[in-house]
């Protein structure tokens, strides 16, 4: 490699540092917006500017670069998805927002004797399209191509572990070990596919419990409990009564259901189906209202009410009715402790 060309490219690289930083910031904004507005859940999004040492190694190794703009991965980003099917979804969205210079799909589904599961990524070389380049804030990016790599979290984990093994190629690995890695690679590929199937099945399940009659017939789980809260007349009535009595507004924070393992508590108490929970809540309507009064009467003004607290209170009333202690001692916060019979004058038996 001609040293003068190498030094010329390195000088261009440093002259463009502010441009690369701006590009990195703008790419981050655009891709973050793409992912957020389309409700795509990802594991991670990262973007980096190549270091001088890495750039010099690439220049010396390739022997083909004459200008810094010939190098297409000085700015590069990686999107790590939860589900394999989202790779194609994100690709289509990127294609709508940028020009694709090169498309390299490394998701080899039919190759035998391979252990490169971690390299099943979709690699894209991308540049700003004319619509964006016509905007003054993006006009300086006209000659810059950057890299986008999209892979699943399992593919990424495999690549990281494989890198840690220290081999640059699968052909450097002893044959017996390569066979074991091939089997493991196939297993992880099946897992990636099965996660997609499970996600789709959950979505289908949720579509199937779209009204209260169907909800009542289902087993008690997180999704059915969420649907029950939104569709149940008794839950709507209890929420309205509590808000009116205490002149407070509703702020839904469903995380409490998982945080306090409410579904598991219901199961431990023998309530396995939604209709069983519904019957208990209807029978104990007044008890729940009295319980709410004992817990919310000390609220400061302008406090909000999390309606999912009702399910926590219901589980505590169940415990009190059965005369048992909380088997897991999950709820230690005073807000959710079981009141004494003196605190709730009547209604809780």
């Amino acid at each position: 490699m001609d040293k003068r060309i190498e030094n010329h490219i390195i000088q261009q690289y440093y002259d463009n540092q502010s441009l690369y930083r701006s590009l990195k910031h703008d790419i981050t904004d655009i891709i973050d917006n793409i992912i957020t507005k389309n409700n795509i859940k990802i594991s991670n999004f990262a973007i980096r500017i190549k270091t001088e040492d890495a750039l010099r190694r690439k220049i010396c190794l390739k022997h083909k670069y004459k200008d810094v703009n010939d190098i297409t991965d000085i700015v590069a980003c990686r999107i790590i998805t939860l589900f394999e099917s989202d790779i194609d979804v994100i690709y289509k969205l990127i294609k709508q927002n940028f020009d694709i210079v090169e498309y390299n799909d490394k998701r080899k589904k039919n190759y035998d004797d391979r252990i490169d599961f971690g390299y099943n990524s979709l690699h894209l070389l991308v540049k700003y399209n004319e619509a964006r380049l016509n905007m003054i804030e993006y006009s300086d990016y006209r000659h810059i191509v950057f890299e986008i790599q999209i892979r699943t979290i399992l593919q990424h984990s495999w690549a990281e572990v494989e890198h840690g093994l220290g081999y640059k190629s699968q052909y450097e690995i002893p044959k017996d070990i390569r066979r074991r890695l091939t089997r493991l690679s196939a297993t992880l590929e099946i897992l990636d596919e099965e996660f997609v199937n499970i996600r789709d099945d959950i979505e289908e399940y949720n579509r199937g419990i779209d009204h209260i009659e169907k909800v009542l017939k289902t087993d008690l789980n997180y999704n059915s409990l969420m649907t029950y809260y939104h569709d149940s007349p008794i839950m709507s009535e209890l929420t309205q009564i509590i808000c009116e009595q205490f002149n407070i507004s509703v702020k839904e924070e469903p995380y409490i259901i998982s945080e306090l393992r409410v579904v598991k508590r219901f199961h431990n108490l023998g309530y396995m189906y939604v209709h069983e929970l519904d019957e208990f809540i209807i029978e104990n309507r007044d008890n729940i209202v009295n319980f709410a009064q004992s817990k919310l009467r000390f609220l400061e003004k302008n406090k909000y009410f999390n309606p999912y607290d009702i399910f926590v209170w219901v589980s505590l009333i169940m415990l009190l009715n059965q005369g048992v202690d909380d088997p897991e001692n999950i709820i230690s916060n005073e807000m959710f402790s079981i009141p004494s019979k003196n605190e709730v004058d009547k209604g809780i038996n």
Side-chain angles (χ1 to χ4, degrees):
M1 179 71 189
D2 189 326
K3 199 67 176 177
R4 290 174 300 176
I5 295 177
E6 178 183 340
N7 290 336
H8 169 66
I9 293 175
I10 295 299
Q11 185 59 53
Q12 289 180 306
Y13 165 78
Y14 278 107
D15 290 343
N16 286 344
Q17 281 301 300
S18 62
L19 183 63
Y20 295 146
R21 288 193 293 270
S22 296
L23 177 63
K24 178 182 175 182
H25 177 270
D26 290 337
I27 293 171
T28 300
D29 280 349
I30 294 171
I31 292 182
D32 277 344
N33 285 332
I34 289 172
I35 291 169
T36 301
K37 288 183 178 179
N38 289 278
N39 299 314
I40 301 172
K41 294 181 180 179
I42 65 170
S43 171
N44 188 46
F45 168 68
I47 185 168
R48 62 101 180 108
I49 299 171
K50 188 181 284 291
T51 65
E52 179 188 341
D53 287 344
L55 181 58
R56 285 188 184 275
R57 286 195 298 271
K58 182 158 191 168
I59 295 170
C60 294
L61 182 65
K62 297 293 185 179
H63 300 288
K64 66 178 183 178
Y65 302 115
K66 305 297 182 184
D67 186 271
V68 74
N69 289 326
D70 296 335
I71 302 171
T72 56
D73 67 342
I74 290 181
V75 177
C77 54
R78 177 180 292 150
I79 303 169
I80 301 177
T81 70
L82 297 178
F83 303 102
E84 204 272 341
S85 59
D86 284 337
I87 293 177
D88 290 320
V89 173
I90 294 173
Y91 164 68
K92 290 177 182 177
L93 293 169
I94 289 173
K95 189 176 179 181
Q96 293 170 9
N97 288 270
F98 299 96
D99 282 344
I100 307 298
V101 176
E102 183 178 304
Y103 176 95
N104 185 9
D105 191 347
K106 298 189 176 183
R107 294 171 291 172
K108 308 167 188 173
K109 295 295 184 183
N110 300 312
Y111 283 24
D112 296 326
D113 190 28
R114 65 181 179 85
I115 60 170
D116 54 354
F117 174 76
Y119 296 96
N120 280 0
S121 317
L122 177 60
H123 289 218
L124 305 172
L125 295 182
V126 175
K127 67 178 182 179
Y128 276 64
N129 57 30
E130 281 298 320
R132 290 191 187 277
L133 291 172
N134 288 333
M135 301 178 188
I136 187 65
E137 61 267 34
Y138 300 139
S139 59
D140 290 338
Y141 306 147
R142 180 168 297 277
H143 301 293
I144 300 180
V145 175
F146 59 94
E147 182 181 79
I148 299 177
Q149 185 183 108
I150 315 172
R151 59 169 53 156
T152 69
I153 190 169
L154 285 180
Q155 291 165 354
H156 182 66
S157 298
W158 173 272
E160 292 292 295
V161 171
E162 188 177 50
H163 178 74
L165 294 176
Y167 292 101
K168 300 297 183 183
S169 166
Q170 63 171 316
Y171 302 105
E172 298 178 3
I173 303 173
K175 184 177 180 180
D176 289 345
I177 296 176
R178 187 165 71 243
R179 186 180 297 112
R180 290 161 61 189
L181 288 171
T182 299
R183 291 167 55 198
L184 183 58
S185 172
T187 301
L188 289 177
E189 191 166 298
I190 292 170
L191 285 175
D192 246 348
E193 294 172 355
E194 189 61 15
F195 278 134
V196 173
N197 293 335
I198 289 172
R199 181 195 61 181
D200 293 344
D201 288 345
I202 289 173
E203 291 176 355
E204 182 66 25
Y205 173 87
N206 289 339
R207 286 193 293 270
I209 52 173
D210 55 355
H211 53 80
I212 190 63
E213 288 79 9
K214 287 186 178 180
V215 176
L216 292 175
K217 296 176 182 178
T218 62
D219 63 290
L220 193 53
N221 57 64
Y222 180 87
N223 292 321
S224 62
L225 190 62
M226 294 298 99
T227 306
Y228 172 73
Y229 168 74
H230 288 287
D231 292 354
S232 166
I234 185 62
M235 292 301 296
S236 177
E237 178 188 357
L238 286 169
T239 300
Q240 182 177 353
I241 289 172
I242 292 170
C243 288
E244 290 177 353
Q245 281 193 7
F246 294 94
N247 192 28
I248 52 178
S249 58
V250 167
K251 181 179 179 181
E252 293 189 15
E253 295 181 332
Y255 73 87
I256 195 173
I257 299 301
S258 296
E259 189 74 20
L260 298 180
R261 303 199 285 276
V262 171
V263 174
K264 183 178 181 181
R265 292 165 61 81
F266 285 147
H267 286 187
N268 288 341
L269 289 161
Y271 293 83
M272 309 300 293
Y273 293 92
V274 176
H275 73 85
E276 296 172 339
L277 175 65
D278 182 62
E279 290 168 3
F280 182 91
I281 291 175
I282 292 172
E283 291 174 2
N284 288 270
R285 173 191 174 281
D286 293 340
N287 296 351
I288 296 167
V289 172
N290 290 334
F291 197 105
Q293 290 172 345
S294 71
K295 294 287 103 181
L296 299 178
R297 62 189 176 190
F298 300 114
L299 276 179
E300 299 175 5
K301 290 184 178 180
N302 302 320
K303 283 281 187 177
Y304 66 84
F305 162 59
N306 178 12
Y308 295 101
D309 287 349
I310 294 175
F311 290 126
V312 181
W313 299 338
V314 167
S315 72
L316 296 177
I317 293 171
M318 289 174 176
L319 284 170
L320 192 60
N321 283 356
Q322 293 183 17
V324 297
D325 295 327
D326 184 353
E328 297 183 79
N329 194 29
I330 294 172
I331 302 175
S332 58
N333 189 301
E334 178 64 24
M335 176 66 182
F336 300 111
S337 61
I338 301 178
S340 67
K341 291 185 181 296
N342 291 331
E343 289 182 287
V344 183
D345 296 329
K346 56 185 177 179
I348 301 179
N349 299 316

